[in-house]
Amino acid sequence: MKFDYNAEYFDPEHVLECGQIFRFEPYREGYFVHSADKACYVRTDGIKTIVESEDSDYFYEFFDLNRDYSEIIDYAKSLGVPLLSRSAEKYKGLRLLNQNREEMLYSFIISQNNNIPRIKGIISRICAGLGEKRDFGGKEYYTFPTTAKLDGAGKEFFKTAGCGYRDVYLAETSRRILNEGIKDLDGLSTEELKKRLLSYKGVGGKVADCIALFGFGKRDSFPVDTWIEQAYREDFNGELTDRNKITAYFQELFKDKSGYIQQYLFYGKRQNL
């Protein structure tokens, strides 16, 4: 099955290359994207963006296509921050994804002090080692492993997969989720969710904010990394040095639009816009 969407507000490159997802690869004229145990092929002709999948409803929600981004873009451009205005205009096809919660928890633990190519490689090896092999449109892929599979793998598997010191974090987190589940994280306020996420081994402030934003849909979250720190100093004349305080500053400034603004600032700064 396939569906399409106005490409002006859905550009696969900008959506996938802005650091919020790690399980995708260039494929034919577009991208092959994996989420949990599902896959899709997405491409654009510049007028329409087309998504092909056996799970079209899932990916319509995954790409957040029920939301009107024109209002968000107008808001971003109205704030009078040149970098933000340029980025919101140039990358108006960027959308925040609604991703699988457990997958995001594990993925952003792996992302700690890591670069995107290496993160993608580690996750790919974990999926190949513990996930199920599937086929979509003649292309093979591996599902993201269940927590039971991750827990059963043990610390040595994660070390062999290239996780380094994060092997302990993944082993302990998978054991905890197997025992507790994560259903009790649903419905929490952003502040309370972040507190709970911080109780997981290996989850610091930035990782918690990423999991909340990309996995739990908390659009008032605002992860702060090196690129955002740079934007804060250069484009907001900020003087704070504590990342938690910088996060709080931006959350107070942008309220429930924080996550969208974060992505425009992050991507614009990283692209040297």
Side-chain angles (χ1 to χ4, degrees):
M1 295 179 64
K2 67 172 68 173
F3 60 85
D4 60 50
Y5 198 87
N6 181 357
E8 182 178 12
Y9 295 106
F10 181 15
D11 185 314
E13 179 183 354
H14 298 160
V15 172
L16 299 172
E17 300 283 1
C18 67
Q20 60 178 323
I21 181 173
F22 306 112
R23 294 178 66 217
F24 68 94
E25 58 193 282
Y27 181 59
R28 298 194 308 217
E29 300 86 16
Y31 293 90
F32 194 68
V33 181
H34 319 165
S35 176
D37 58 349
K38 300 171 176 61
C40 75
Y41 170 51
V42 57
R43 68 189 188 280
T44 187
D45 60 12
I47 298 171
K48 295 288 186 183
T49 292
I50 301 98
V51 178
E52 298 179 31
S53 177
E54 295 171 349
D55 300 282
S56 56
D57 289 346
Y58 178 89
F59 282 103
Y60 200 90
E61 171 65 18
F62 179 82
F63 288 115
D64 204 31
L65 298 178
N66 288 306
R67 197 179 311 274
D68 181 2
Y69 273 63
S70 64
E71 297 177 1
I72 298 167
I73 291 162
D74 288 344
Y75 168 74
K77 290 163 65 175
S78 75
L79 295 170
V81 180
L83 170 65
L84 183 54
S85 296
R86 293 194 303 271
S87 187
E89 176 60 30
K90 183 168 184 177
Y91 304 124
K92 60 174 62 173
L94 192 161
R95 309 182 72 86
L96 287 180
L97 299 173
N98 296 307
Q99 301 188 69
N100 179 272
R101 295 175 178 185
E102 287 190 21
E103 183 174 336
M104 287 299 93
L105 216 163
Y106 295 120
S107 295
F108 278 96
I109 287 176
I110 292 167
S111 79
Q112 182 192 120
N113 298 318
N114 220 339
N115 60 64
I116 289 176
R118 189 161 181 266
I119 298 164
K120 291 178 70 173
I122 292 170
I123 295 173
S124 178
R125 288 189 289 275
I126 289 174
C127 291
L130 300 175
E132 296 179 11
K133 183 186 284 189
R134 301 229 176 137
D135 177 280
F136 173 66
K139 182 165 176 59
E140 289 184 346
Y141 70 97
Y142 291 91
T143 64
F144 195 87
T146 63
T147 285
K149 283 279 192 179
L150 290 165
D151 177 62
K155 189 174 68 171
E156 284 306 311
F157 170 82
F158 297 123
K159 186 177 290 294
T160 301
C163 298
Y165 66 87
R166 304 167 197 82
D167 58 350
V168 176
Y169 303 158
L170 293 167
E172 292 193 17
T173 296
S174 60
R175 173 53 54 89
R176 177 175 172 180
I177 293 176
L178 186 68
N179 291 334
E180 300 177 3
I182 60 169
K183 282 290 186 183
D184 62 342
L185 299 180
D186 291 344
L188 298 177
S189 69
T190 301
E191 183 179 4
E192 184 58 33
L193 174 62
K194 184 173 181 178
K195 287 180 183 176
R196 294 284 294 278
L197 290 172
L198 287 169
S199 71
Y200 284 83
K201 190 82 169 177
V203 175
K206 179 224 168 188
V207 167
D209 287 325
C210 286
I211 296 167
L213 179 58
F214 304 130
F216 286 82
K218 297 297 187 181
R219 301 315 196 211
D220 54 343
S221 297
F222 199 102
V224 173
D225 72 341
T226 303
W227 294 108
I228 291 294
E229 280 187 311
Q230 187 178 336
Y232 169 71
R233 291 193 303 271
E234 296 176 354
D235 300 279
F236 294 83
N237 299 312
E239 297 181 354
L240 297 170
T241 56
D242 184 293
R243 284 189 175 183
N244 291 322
K245 292 181 178 179
I246 296 172
T247 290
Y249 165 82
F250 280 124
Q251 287 178 307
E252 178 61 29
L253 200 58
F254 302 127
K255 304 292 194 298
D256 63 345
K257 301 290 196 303
S258 290
Y260 305 103
I261 302 302
Q262 191 270 355
Q263 282 291 275
Y264 294 132
L265 290 173
F266 169 82
Y267 200 50
K269 207 65 179 177
R270 198 177 76 173
Q271 299 296 103
N272 196 29
L273 190 61

